[in-house]
Amino acid sequence: MTEERTPPANDDELDADDVRNDPVPIHPDDPQPGEDDASTSPEPPTEGADQ
Amino acid sequence: MTDCATYRVPFASQLKQGGQTGRFDCTAWATSRAIARATCGKKVPSGRTIRLHSSEAIPDPDSPGLNLFQVAAVAENDYGVYFEIFTGAKALPFAGYEQRRIDGRPGVIQVGYGPIADTKLDAGRGFRDNHAIYEDNFETIESLADGRAPGVWKFDGRLYPRSVMKAAAAKLWTGSHYTGLGHVWCMFARDVIPDYRARVPAGSYLAYQISGAHVVMRRTRRTGGFSGACTPPRHFLWGSRTVTLVQMLSGAKAGQWISHNYAMEG
């Protein structure tokens, strides 16, 4: 019985579904993002009100 | 109460509304739109909230985006919205993607942006890489399409041409190859969490030991073959690697975590 405590370099079971989006480039004339309320609030902001 | 059959999901801009991680968060924003539709507008989280509640609140500098399993976990744990994920060997043919979308199921599709950038719908300002987009039976919400500069497409409620979306789905880069025409990596919300069963054939298999969201170790085990009920697939980190696993719920192997490749619905 083989025991592995670190992931092997080549293994079909690893990373098989880990496809992530890429960063979008920012241009100098892009609008600045809104204030990041989440960084100062214990509860992250929720967009829109519950209905 | 909002009627879900006619509810239109509001547009949101990942760059204008996304805070400090906005440029990394298209998958989170697309998922936020899908949660809005799945809850008929009762819950409309921001993509920033999805990011902060994910297993990677601070983006990994080497790979700052999110994958579908990460955002689906937030949707289920925080909003009670279950997503069925179709990636890798379980990717959908484009017809299967369309069938679910037309049925009104909120979906997130992973694409390569090039085929969209080559049309008047371009909102990337040179961006052609992996992207995630929300779609349903009414509309395509592409979170870059905010008209922020001349030449940047502005959301107008339309559904993007199916030929463009099919081409974009084929251009998703998996790290070793493009998905190819007819293969759609995506996820769709589902009202009922399906039952899953795993079947492991005779021979050897890998059993993982889990702690929280992380793999601690794994062992190679031998079996004469077994099957039983299991959980839906879940995503785990192992150092800098990731793996998708299910946990056996019945039988002699109950409690063991094994690859989701052994599992299927039903």
Side-chain angles (χ1 to χ4, degrees):
Chain A
M1 187 163 56
T2 308
E3 186 175 296
E4 297 165 285
R5 292 188 175 272
T6 56
N10 296 309
D11 188 303
D12 290 344
E13 288 192 5
L14 303 183
D15 301 332
D17 302 282
D18 191 14
V19 170
R20 302 172 180 225
N21 63 272
D22 289 308
V24 175
I26 298 295
H27 293 256
D29 60 340
D30 278 339
Q32 292 299 305
E35 184 181 349
D36 184 5
D37 295 337
S39 65
T40 56
S41 167
E43 185 62 27
T46 298
E47 179 206 336
D50 288 349
Q51 297 175 16
Chain B
M1 179 174 166
T2 308
D3 180 358
C4 231
T6 58
Y7 173 70
R8 299 291 291 256
V9 178
F11 174 79
S13 166
Q14 69 177 91
L15 296 180
K16 290 181 178 178
Q17 299 168 245
Q20 55 189 258
T21 58
R23 62 187 289 249
F24 308 128
D25 284 351
C26 61
T27 306
W29 280 97
T31 303
S32 76
R33 303 303 89 184
I35 292 170
R37 174 65 188 266
T39 60
C40 308
K42 291 187 182 70
K43 297 172 183 175
V44 191
S46 69
R48 175 73 176 145
T49 300
I50 304 292
R51 162 65 77 172
L52 288 167
H53 288 199
S54 75
S55 60
E56 200 176 307
I58 299 172
D60 178 344
D62 295 328
S63 182
L66 293 170
N67 65 43
L68 295 182
F69 287 91
Q70 289 175 296
V71 291
V74 177
E76 183 175 0
N77 295 336
D78 293 6
Y79 301 99
V81 176
Y82 175 76
F83 282 93
E84 196 172 11
I85 297 173
F86 303 94
T87 58
K90 297 176 181 175
L92 290 176
F94 194 73
Y97 172 80
E98 284 293 272
Q99 180 184 2
R100 287 165 177 78
R101 183 188 63 76
I102 293 167
D103 281 348
R105 289 172 62 179
V108 175
I109 181 171
Q110 292 187 298
V111 300
Y113 199 70
I116 297 172
D118 291 337
T119 73
K120 68 178 182 182
L121 302 166
D122 179 25
R125 308 191 76 185
F127 177 65
R128 300 181 69 86
D129 299 329
N130 284 358
H131 194 47
I133 296 174
Y134 169 79
E135 289 200 303
D136 62 24
N137 52 326
F138 293 125
E139 59 191 347
T140 300
I141 299 183
E142 198 275 272
S143 53
L144 293 174
D146 55 14
R148 63 192 175 281
V152 172
W153 180 257
K154 186 171 184 179
F155 172 79
D156 66 355
R158 75 176 61 194
L159 186 68
Y160 284 10
R162 308 324 298 157
S163 59
V164 172
M165 292 305 293
K166 185 175 182 179
K171 280 293 187 182
L172 180 71
W173 179 250
T174 67
S176 59
H177 62 279
Y178 291 109
T179 43
L181 208 56
H183 299 277
V184 185
W185 289 43
C186 59
M187 67 179 188
F188 280 100
R190 185 163 176 171
D191 290 338
V192 179
I193 298 177
D195 293 327
Y196 280 84
R197 289 188 68 81
R199 176 183 298 275
V200 179
S204 62
Y205 70 101
L206 296 164
Y208 292 76
Q209 184 177 327
I210 299 300
S211 176
H214 297 266
V215 172
V216 176
M217 60 172 287
R218 72 178 183 185
R219 288 193 177 95
T220 304
R221 295 180 179 275
R222 298 212 46 93
T223 178
F226 65 90
S227 64
C230 66
T231 64
R234 293 176 190 162
H235 206 62
F236 294 92
L237 299 171
W238 193 8
S240 61
R241 313 291 296 279
T242 62
V243 65
T244 309
L245 306 174
V246 296
Q247 186 177 33
M248 296 302 297
L249 297 174
S250 65
K253 307 296 183 184
Q256 278 194 4
W257 288 93
I258 60 176
S259 169
H260 79 125
N261 292 331
Y262 296 114
M264 59 188 306
E265 193 181 321

